[in-house]
Amino acid sequence: MTQTSNSIDQITAWAGALGAGQVPPAAFALAKKAFLDTLAVSLSGSQLDSVHIVTALASELGQGDGPCSVIGHGFKADVLAAALANGTAAHAELFDDNSEPMMSHPSASLVSALLPLGQSRGLGGAEVLLAYVAGFEVNVVLGRQLNPRLYEAGWHVTRTLGVLGVTAACCRLLKLGRQPFGAALGIAASMASGLRQNFGTMTMALHAGLSARDAVHAALLAEKGLLSDGEALDGKYGFFNLFVGVPPKSLPFGRPFELVESGIIFKPYPSGAPTHAAVHAAIALQDRLGGRLHEVAAIVCHVHPWNFMTLREGVPADTLRARVSMRYCVAAALRFGALGSAQFTEEALGDPLVQKFMALVEIRQADDLPDNGLFPAAVEVRLADGHSGPVHCETVRCDIPPGAPAMPMTEAEADQKYRSCAAVVLDAPAIERTRAMILGIDRLADVGELCVALEGGGRP
């Protein structure tokens, strides 16, 4: 790469030439974990209303007869419809992974684009895994350069920036030459969108599906010869100037690989990442308080300033809003001593003690929490004795939530998450079979075998 080459040239040159021998073993190992985690939440998310709507429309439009598996729905569709449905499922529960420098969910769209595209071409797992590494690197390196401006402006980075890296991954999988590879990136730049105003709605999940679908579409159009402007990223009216006002200073792809450098945050709770430190603290408090929950008179949640920019305010009206509500997530964690799918039901939302705790929660900005990008928090609970007001106080602070690279999910925890999520769709033998295939994805001669097994049909 020359210093004068533009961003499209740099991305195409690096990603197009990336070989398996250049990738550290640790990066491939983490990529496999990302596939396991993403397919876990895709299986459980596949049964949410947002995904049922997407799949029903695909069938009505005649897209339900194709070569690509729709996860959890027992049928195949064309490659674009499958990518859209699977990407929506992967993000439906907000249970999918995070990248701290990208400030978004990298794997939902990557996995959901690459598997149906690979299935449609009869490609092997090693090729899909390498393409994932390429797309992850492009997205996180760009995210490190463009954030926090891109996120602060109100864009959902999973969608807005995500479509570029996922397109790069698709182009790498198809082994496109530099000219069509660059054209695909320009096409994807015109597809970029996604508003954070839609957080806590079905459309938030749709964003990941749109990124997967559009990336596949851009790559396939470019493969057929559709052209775009070579300055679609760096030009006066290009992506960088329009979205953040300035191009990136440098794009040091693979120096070192972001999978090794910044890693992946795997979620233990199906809620917005900014709630996780506070939820972890609230669960610890519930254990500490035991049978005294009825005495709680005040709850103060001390959070990093970033939390105020991300989460929805007020009392959530439904379970989707609850997933991005600090007030609800802390109240539910304190009430139940856990925060899983069972806590995101209408019954849990209407629980009298949860309702009481939500009314008590006060969220305050704290200036003494570390600026580590992990939304640290401290939760303070005050108890009343029934006579003279609050008399006892318990506080738990969490700087690094579980699942972060510094406090990684164990293999046993990752396996339990997969088995629990997959059980929504698959029976026990199918769960173990798909788990083994995912962890050995680099040995699959055709990823279609895995995709078919994830369709479902062996329901509990």
Side-chain angles (χ1 to χ4, degrees):
M1 297 177 206
T2 64
Q3 233 177 354
T4 57
S5 63
N6 68 20
S7 297
I8 284 180
D9 291 338
Q10 292 180 61
I11 294 169
T12 58
W14 180 81
L18 181 65
Q22 300 166 254
V23 179
F28 275 136
L30 192 59
K32 288 183 184 180
K33 291 180 181 178
F35 271 79
L36 186 71
D37 188 82
T38 303
L39 293 172
V41 301
S42 298
L43 285 162
S44 56
S46 71
Q47 302 307 301
L48 268 65
D49 289 345
S50 56
V51 189
H52 283 297
I53 292 168
V54 170
T55 55
L57 182 60
S59 296
E60 288 177 21
L61 296 176
Q63 298 171 318
D65 183 20
C68 301
S69 300
V70 177
I71 292 174
H73 285 269
F75 73 94
K76 293 182 176 64
D78 68 49
V79 66
L80 299 182
L84 178 65
N86 294 345
T88 303
H91 199 40
E93 292 183 293
L94 277 187
F95 212 0
D96 50 315
D97 64 25
N98 277 86
S99 163
E100 182 267 315
M102 188 184 172
M103 298 185 71
S104 74
H105 306 264
S107 297
S109 300
L110 279 167
V111 172
S112 302
L114 291 171
L115 283 179
L117 184 58
Q119 183 181 18
S120 72
R121 298 294 177 96
L123 299 176
E127 296 171 275
V128 169
L129 200 64
L130 180 62
Y132 172 93
V133 173
F136 184 96
E137 184 72 8
V138 169
N139 263 343
V140 180
V141 168
L142 285 172
R144 193 181 285 280
Q145 293 285 327
L146 304 180
N147 283 318
R149 285 167 296 184
L150 185 61
Y151 194 91
E152 285 177 327
W155 298 110
H156 187 191
V157 181
T158 301
R159 171 76 179 120
T160 314
L161 175 59
V163 70
L164 297 181
V166 183
T167 298
C170 292
C171 291
R172 180 66 190 81
L173 184 62
L174 295 175
K175 296 183 172 65
L176 296 189
R178 292 182 68 166
Q179 192 276 334
F181 198 139
L185 290 171
I187 296 167
S190 279
M191 294 169 160
S193 58
L195 312 177
R196 285 202 292 116
Q197 188 63 41
N198 271 317
F199 277 17
T201 72
M202 291 183 187
T203 299
M204 184 182 189
L206 185 69
H207 286 170
L210 291 171
S211 291
R213 183 200 67 183
D214 288 353
V216 173
H217 204 181
L220 293 177
L221 288 169
E223 185 183 41
K224 290 291 187 183
L226 193 75
L227 301 177
S228 63
D229 194 284
E231 294 290 335
L233 297 185
D234 295 305
K236 180 179 179 181
Y237 303 114
F239 180 96
F240 297 135
N241 277 327
L242 292 183
F243 281 101
V244 295
V246 62
K249 293 179 181 178
S250 64
L251 297 175
F253 298 122
R255 307 196 306 270
F257 278 84
E258 286 288 354
L259 278 164
V260 177
E261 177 72 8
S262 56
I264 298 177
I265 301 166
F266 294 113
K267 289 184 169 185
Y269 314 118
S271 61
T275 68
H276 282 209
V279 165
H280 191 62
I283 290 172
L285 281 168
Q286 201 263 8
D287 183 62
R288 190 179 294 181
L289 292 173
R292 303 187 67 187
L293 289 179
H294 65 284
E295 300 175 38
V296 172
I299 304 168
V300 181
C301 191
H302 304 273
V303 300
H304 189 275
W306 277 97
N307 289 69
F308 287 97
M309 185 177 67
T310 302
L311 296 170
R312 307 295 299 208
E313 298 178 2
V315 175
D318 56 53
T319 57
L320 287 178
R321 295 278 182 177
R323 293 180 190 272
V324 291
S325 166
M326 178 70 82
R327 188 178 303 278
Y328 176 78
C329 289
V330 168
L334 187 62
R335 163 67 176 91
F336 298 109
L339 195 72
S341 297
Q343 280 69 54
F344 291 101
T345 62
E346 294 298 332
E347 182 181 6
L349 184 61
D351 181 89
L353 201 51
V354 170
Q355 291 288 322
K356 173 190 172 182
F357 287 168
M358 279 199 288
L360 294 176
V361 170
E362 179 186 356
I363 303 172
R364 297 179 186 172
Q365 180 174 317
D367 297 322
D368 62 338
L369 293 169
D371 191 19
N372 60 7
L374 298 174
F375 303 98
V379 178
E380 175 187 349
V381 171
R382 299 169 191 165
L383 305 182
D385 67 356
H387 301 289
S388 56
V391 295
H392 180 71
C393 180
E394 293 276 1
T395 302
V396 173
R397 171 170 162 165
C398 178
D399 290 350
I400 301 173
M407 192 181 291
M409 187 176 283
T410 66
E411 286 189 21
E413 290 169 337
D415 286 343
Q416 174 56 32
K417 180 176 178 179
Y418 183 77
R419 292 184 174 110
S420 174
C421 289
V424 175
V425 171
L426 304 177
D427 62 18
I431 290 170
E432 297 310 313
R433 179 168 171 256
T434 53
R435 174 184 166 275
M437 282 194 284
I438 296 165
L439 293 176
I441 189 171
D442 52 327
R443 298 189 298 273
L444 289 178
D446 185 343
V447 293
E449 180 186 1
L450 170 62
C451 296
V452 170
L454 293 169
E455 288 178 20
R459 299 177 186 229

